[in-house]
Amino acid sequence: MPQRPSVPQCPGSKAVIVPDKPAISDASTPELEISILVIDDEPRARQSICELLSPLGHPTTQAASVAEAIHLLHTKKFTLALVDLNLPDGSGLDIMRHIHANQIHTRLIVISGNSTFEHAAQSLRNGACDFIRKPYLPQTLLKTIAKEITNARTQHRYTHIQDELKGSESLHRFIVNTSPDMIYMLDERGNFSFVNQRVRSLLGCVEESLIGKHYSAIVLPEDLEKAHHIFNNWRAAACPDNSVELRLLNHQNNEQRFVEARAIPVEITTTGVYTSIGTEQDAEFVGIYGVIRDITEHKRNEALLQHHEHHDYLTGLPNRALLHDRLKMAMAQARRANNLIGILFLDIDRFKIINDSLGHLAGDKILQQVTQRLSTNLREGDTLARISGNEFMLLLTNINEHGDASAVAQEIMDGCSTPIHYQGQEVLLTFSIGVAIYPEDGISKEELIHNAYLAKCYVKGNSRNSYSFYTQSFKNVGETDLEQESALRRALNNGEFELYYQPQVDILEHRVIGLEALIRWNHPQRGFLAPSAFIPLAEKSDLICKIGQWVLERACQDARHLEDNGIKGLKVAINISAQQLNNTNFKKQVLQTTSHYGLQQNYLEIEITENSIMQNMQKTVEILTDLANAGIGIAIDDFGTGYSSLSYLQTLPVSTLKIDRSFIRDLSSNQSTPPIITAILTLTAALKIKCIAEGVETDEQKTVLQLAGGKFIQGYLYCRPQAFTQLLSYLRQAKDGVLNHQDQLRST
Ligand code: C2E
Ligand code: CA
Ligand code: CA
């Protein structure tokens, strides 16, 4: 014999003991008011009964006929009626029949002189409670009446309790049926013994159709295991979690369910029910009851939240996080299948202009259209993600060769030729696309994405509206540098550089003696950029040599032009970076270019800083000596700021020293000339080297310099750097290079 389980006592359990008998309380029953109707045609008989009853304190009423009695019974409630059988208009039996037929709750005692058995039996059959024969002893009547009053009171209490019970039951039924949750009860075999009306809207069936059916009839097969587990645990009194989520079968097709069409997600609370005759150890499992709550809405919100966590709110596309997940999966797959993966980093060119000119709302709408367009040709398994404002990423899974990725990139670019329409306006958008291929361009997702990004930066800086694969040369270059570097390359190819010229003036003779060529970048978006904005970057790569080559070429060309325009004898100085000096072709390039333009060598001067010289002293001295021997001037730029070893002045054929602007800035007529200026001037005079003071802006500075023996200056006081055409007209004014004092020209 298996042992009976005891009622579980663990915390959270809601096991209940069903009571064997309900305890009914009559404490609240109102007192029954007793009133007595005395029916007799004999006035004295009626009177004597009333007098006999008066000590009891119950009101009495008298009736002399059947008609009068019936009338009174209809107008008033009587607890008790004492009826004589012989009445003038009929028999007491007629009253009894009437009472019965009309369901009047008055107890009847027959008092009759006809004391045969027949009479008594007839009376009792017709509903009389008792029969008293006349003449009677007063005690007999009083005893009978007292007994019937007790009976009436018991009946009254019983009826009251019945009414109360009926009331509370319907109240409970109401509560149960209007509950927003389904309330159920299963018997010990798991069959439904009760369900409330909520089952109609939840499962689309009536209560009766479920009664007697096993719970497995409504649980989704996938979740049956879970349901069995809970049920069996209650049966074994193992006290399971009393709340669990599972899915019920959805039999109705009228509602579009978000989570899964055939399933209704619910939360079920379960409570084991046990009876107990004696101790808890005797408890017997009789089933479980509980509540089933529809959590579709909750699940929908949960799913929505999850969706938002992984998708971009504006376009609905996967976001960066989801892309990372998919990429991770794709990489694992590609490893197994020995396939390639392509990552396309897409950046909408000049999207800021759209936002700035049409507004952010327009920008958002256009982004949505772009998304639609990009999504149309997606292959199954590919992922398009939006990862920031105007940046998208396209993950191409299972590609076989680079060509597959470039075909997609080309397709995207081709699609760009069709304009996007926004409020009657046509917007043409292009993309800069960087492509990285797994595994060759990276074996981690971060590396792959970064390399696609670098390739994109390269395209963005270069031509835009184009795509590029990642190459090793992008490695170790910062993305902005890479972007700018490729922008610089584009600038070279597109002729975005210009040379400005700043005259160098002999202040004693008031004559222009030379020009310094200063580069400017006419950037398509950012306007004119000073060298400090790009030369330092160019110096990080071989770009500075290419730019330097361009400067040399252009400066020579312009010098030729000046000659051709009758402006002769002006030395053109160009700035040379240290890397250029290290370039083995440098010397050759300089000599070839000057001779190509038919320039006399002494019309060119190269400006070089002390620091550059020091970088590779021996080689630099060699190159510069060769150049100097060929007639090319050598100027030491920013003199006094760098590595001031004067020894090189002995070995190097220097033609000019340029005093750095920082020494000139603070020159004032109120103070004595700084010793460094005096020293440089003395030194250059001794070495027969020309000395040019840079950055002279005021007459005061010029005067101080002049008094100290300075002869040559370059600065805003005379002329700001000029574009070549402006320079030409400036020089033409200065006839034969001689300036008059209004010739001070300002420019940007
Ligand atoms: P730098 O060789 O010392 O050139 C003189 C700089 O001082 C120029 O600035 C010029 O515009 C500025 N300047 C001239 N007079 C005055 C003045 O009176 N007041 C003030 N405040 N500034 C004055 P810029 O053109 O911006 O050039 C800056 C530097 O960029 C140059 O300094 C030079 O080191 C470099 N650079 C310019 N062009 C080239 C080039 O073609 N190649 C190379 N490698 N470097 C260049
Ligand atoms: Ca210079
Ligand atoms: Ca300088």
Side-chain angles (χ1 to χ4, degrees):
M1 268 277 284
Q3 257 206 323
R4 263 186 189 176
S6 62
V7 178
Q9 290 300 302
C10 41
S13 119
K14 284 195 192 157
V16 293
I17 308 290
V18 174
D20 293 334
K21 275 188 205 156
I24 301 167
S25 149
D26 64 354
S28 61
T29 310
E31 192 58 40
L32 177 67
E33 280 181 20
I34 309 292
S35 66
I36 302 168
L37 178 62
V38 180
I39 310 162
D40 202 314
D41 55 338
E42 274 284 323
R44 274 201 310 118
R46 292 197 306 265
Q47 196 51 42
S48 78
I49 293 175
C50 290
E51 278 166 13
L52 183 68
L53 295 181
S54 78
L56 298 180
H58 304 308
T60 49
T61 309
Q62 300 179 21
S65 63
V66 172
E68 195 183 354
I70 287 175
H71 173 70
L72 280 167
L73 282 165
H74 278 285
T75 46
K76 220 179 144 199
K77 260 188 165 177
F78 293 99
T79 320
L80 212 59
L82 307 177
V83 189
D84 183 13
L85 285 181
N86 293 321
L87 292 167
D89 54 346
S91 156
L93 293 173
D94 296 333
I95 298 172
M96 282 181 233
R97 285 186 202 110
H98 185 86
I99 281 178
H100 181 71
N102 289 280
Q103 294 185 338
I104 295 168
H105 300 291
T106 301
R107 307 183 79 81
L108 288 164
I109 299 172
V110 173
I111 304 173
S112 178
N114 304 329
S115 56
T116 62
F117 174 79
E118 185 52 32
H119 278 113
Q122 218 175 1
S123 298
L124 293 174
R125 264 202 306 277
N126 279 289
C129 303
D130 216 334
F131 188 91
I132 295 174
R133 197 157 31 92
K134 280 184 186 171
Y136 52 80
L137 287 170
Q139 299 92 305
T140 311
L141 181 63
L142 284 175
K143 217 171 146 190
T144 309
I145 287 174
K147 186 188 86 196
E148 281 316 313
I149 285 176
T150 305
N151 285 345
R153 282 195 166 124
T154 307
Q155 178 65 47
H156 169 71
R157 268 201 305 277
Y158 180 73
T159 314
H160 178 78
I161 287 166
Q162 283 287 310
D163 289 351
E164 287 243 299
L165 272 178
K166 260 189 222 155
S168 78
E169 197 204 316
S170 60
L171 177 71
H172 287 132
R173 187 172 301 128
F174 172 78
I175 291 170
V176 165
N177 279 332
T178 52
S179 156
D181 300 325
M182 180 173 149
I183 297 170
Y184 69 94
M185 196 143 190
L186 299 175
D187 65 17
E188 75 283 3
R189 282 164 301 158
N191 296 331
F192 282 102
S193 57
F194 174 81
V195 284
N196 69 342
Q197 277 177 11
R198 177 70 172 94
V199 70
R200 301 182 192 181
S201 54
L202 185 69
L203 300 179
C205 58
V206 289
E207 299 90 297
E208 295 74 33
S209 66
L210 272 192
I211 303 300
K213 275 207 185 130
H214 194 256
Y215 64 78
S216 52
I218 66 162
V219 177
L220 197 74
E222 289 91 320
D223 289 355
L224 260 179
E225 196 63 36
K226 226 191 222 176
H228 293 332
H229 180 72
I230 303 162
F231 187 81
N232 291 333
N233 269 347
W234 276 120
R235 183 160 34 203
C239 185
D241 284 343
N242 69 350
S243 164
V244 67
E245 275 185 27
L246 44 80
R247 291 160 301 168
L248 302 186
L249 278 167
N250 179 24
H251 296 292
Q252 34 191 359
N253 290 324
N254 51 357
E255 198 187 339
Q256 264 293 311
R257 286 195 172 267
F258 182 77
V259 183
E260 196 185 339
R262 69 190 183 109
I264 304 164
V266 291
E267 184 188 51
I268 300 189
T269 59
T270 58
T271 302
V273 185
Y274 303 84
T275 53
S276 173
I277 311 134
T279 62
E280 278 179 0
Q281 272 63 35
D282 299 328
E284 188 177 359
F285 175 71
V286 288
I288 60 177
Y289 89 93
V291 163
I292 299 179
R293 172 163 294 181
D294 183 355
I295 53 168
T296 309
E297 196 63 30
H298 172 73
K299 286 278 162 195
R300 181 178 301 160
N301 290 340
E302 230 176 49
L304 224 73
L305 257 174
Q306 221 192 1
H307 181 83
H308 283 314
E309 237 170 68
H310 291 106
H311 290 81
D312 164 48
Y313 76 98
L314 179 68
T315 58
L317 288 177
N319 61 13
R320 190 187 284 267
L322 186 53
L323 179 95
H324 271 254
D325 276 2
R326 303 244 173 109
L327 178 57
K328 193 174 158 194
M329 271 162 49
M331 280 164 61
Q333 248 168 23
R335 260 195 306 273
R336 282 196 297 273
N338 219 5
N339 269 329
L340 303 180
I341 295 174
I343 280 277
L344 270 61
F345 201 110
L346 312 167
D347 187 324
I348 306 177
D349 295 329
R350 300 188 183 92
F351 194 72
K352 192 175 173 303
I353 299 176
I354 292 184
N355 270 337
D356 290 348
S357 55
L358 299 177
H360 283 269
L361 191 71
D364 285 355
K365 295 272 177 254
I366 289 168
L367 276 175
Q368 286 167 338
Q369 288 196 48
V370 169
T371 304
Q372 253 179 9
R373 188 177 281 186
L374 289 174
S375 308
T376 28
N377 292 332
L378 280 190
R379 294 173 317 159
E380 209 185 314
D382 292 350
T383 298
L384 176 68
R386 179 169 175 239
I387 51 167
S388 77
N390 61 331
E391 290 175 330
F392 296 82
M393 269 176 78
L394 182 52
L395 163 66
L396 304 175
T397 51
N398 284 331
I399 58 171
N400 297 318
E401 50 183 27
H402 288 58
D404 294 343
S406 48
V408 174
Q410 189 59 50
E411 203 176 301
I412 292 171
M413 284 165 51
D414 292 347
C416 292
S417 55
T418 319
I420 283 178
H421 294 275
Y422 178 74
Q423 292 192 340
Q425 305 207 43
E426 284 196 343
V427 183
L428 262 176
L429 289 180
T430 57
F431 285 99
S432 293
I433 306 173
V435 191
I437 301 291
Y438 173 86
E440 61 189 59
D441 295 335
I443 47 166
S444 76
K445 38 185 205 325
E446 289 77 16
E447 196 184 357
L448 260 184
I449 291 175
H450 184 67
N451 288 344
Y453 173 70
L454 287 181
K456 183 277 298 187
C457 290
Y458 178 77
V459 175
K460 199 149 190 82
N462 199 332
S463 46
R464 298 176 192 246
N465 188 21
S466 180
Y467 70 89
S468 166
F469 281 89
Y470 170 78
T471 70
Q472 285 294 318
S473 67
F474 299 163
K475 214 175 181 175
N476 301 328
V477 186
E479 57 266 23
T480 28
D481 282 2
L482 190 64
E483 201 173 306
Q484 279 193 13
E485 202 183 294
S486 67
L488 275 175
R489 285 184 208 279
R490 177 201 63 199
L492 260 180
N493 296 337
N494 291 2
E496 291 169 16
F497 291 122
E498 270 187 48
L499 272 192
Y500 271 43
Y501 293 93
Q502 188 176 33
Q504 298 164 336
V505 178
D506 178 333
I507 49 173
L508 299 181
E509 294 183 16
H510 227 58
R511 164 199 299 277
V512 177
I513 50 125
L515 303 164
E516 181 179 1
L518 295 160
I519 193 168
R520 300 286 179 267
W521 180 3
N522 189 1
H523 194 284
Q525 277 87 44
R526 297 161 65 194
F528 273 94
L529 300 179
S532 57
F534 57 93
I535 291 291
L537 176 71
E539 284 178 336
K540 286 187 188 168
S541 69
D542 68 324
L543 259 173
I544 192 64
C545 294
K546 296 206 167 88
I547 292 173
Q549 169 70 28
W550 178 86
V551 170
L552 170 71
E553 186 91 21
R554 174 56 57 88
C556 290
Q557 195 183 336
D558 288 343
R560 172 82 264 145
H561 213 75
L562 287 176
E563 287 257 316
D564 294 348
N565 280 273
I567 301 166
K568 296 184 188 292
L570 289 188
K571 237 186 186 62
V572 174
I574 57 173
N575 291 283
I576 301 296
S577 291
Q579 290 94 312
Q580 290 177 268
L581 293 172
N582 291 331
N583 186 328
T584 41
N585 284 332
F586 178 67
K587 191 173 77 186
K588 204 166 99 196
Q589 275 170 4
V590 173
L591 298 175
Q592 271 181 355
T593 314
T594 43
S595 73
H596 173 77
Y597 286 99
L599 292 176
Q600 289 183 17
Q601 312 288 19
N602 59 357
Y603 283 171
L604 187 73
E605 187 164 62
I606 58 174
E607 291 193 7
I608 178 166
T609 63
E610 291 171 296
N611 289 347
S612 309
I613 297 169
M614 295 307 150
Q615 277 186 24
N616 191 347
M617 179 88 168
Q618 201 190 346
K619 194 170 173 215
T620 310
V621 169
E622 248 175 62
I623 297 171
L624 294 183
T625 308
D626 287 355
L627 286 176
N629 289 340
I632 289 178
I634 310 291
I636 307 298
D637 208 352
D638 306 341
F639 188 74
T641 59
Y643 185 98
S644 292
S645 150
L646 297 176
S647 64
Y648 65 85
L649 289 176
Q650 287 186 317
T651 39
L652 261 184
V654 172
S655 53
T656 308
L657 278 192
K658 298 185 81 178
I659 310 178
D660 189 67
R661 190 158 62 88
S662 55
F663 299 112
I664 309 299
R665 202 165 32 213
D666 302 326
L667 290 186
S668 148
S669 49
N670 298 333
Q671 288 164 358
S672 55
T673 317
I676 184 117
I677 301 273
T678 323
I680 297 173
L681 286 170
T682 314
L683 176 78
T684 49
L687 292 171
K688 296 199 172 40
I689 295 174
K690 198 186 325 162
C691 178
I692 301 180
E694 281 189 305
V696 180
E697 293 181 354
T698 65
D699 273 320
E700 199 180 356
Q701 292 166 341
K702 176 188 152 192
T703 312
V704 173
L705 280 167
Q706 197 170 352
L707 288 174
K711 198 172 175 226
F712 306 104
I713 64 171
Q714 181 185 340
Y716 292 173
L717 177 67
Y718 277 90
C719 191
R720 283 177 180 250
Q722 304 292 310
F724 186 68
T725 43
Q726 278 175 303
L727 176 88
L728 265 183
S729 52
Y730 173 80
L731 291 176
R732 280 197 190 111
Q733 282 174 32
K735 199 165 171 290
D736 296 329
V738 179
L739 303 164
N740 57 50
H741 60 278
Q742 288 105 344
D743 291 338
Q744 297 166 5
L745 189 75
R746 321 256 161 206
S747 134
T748 47

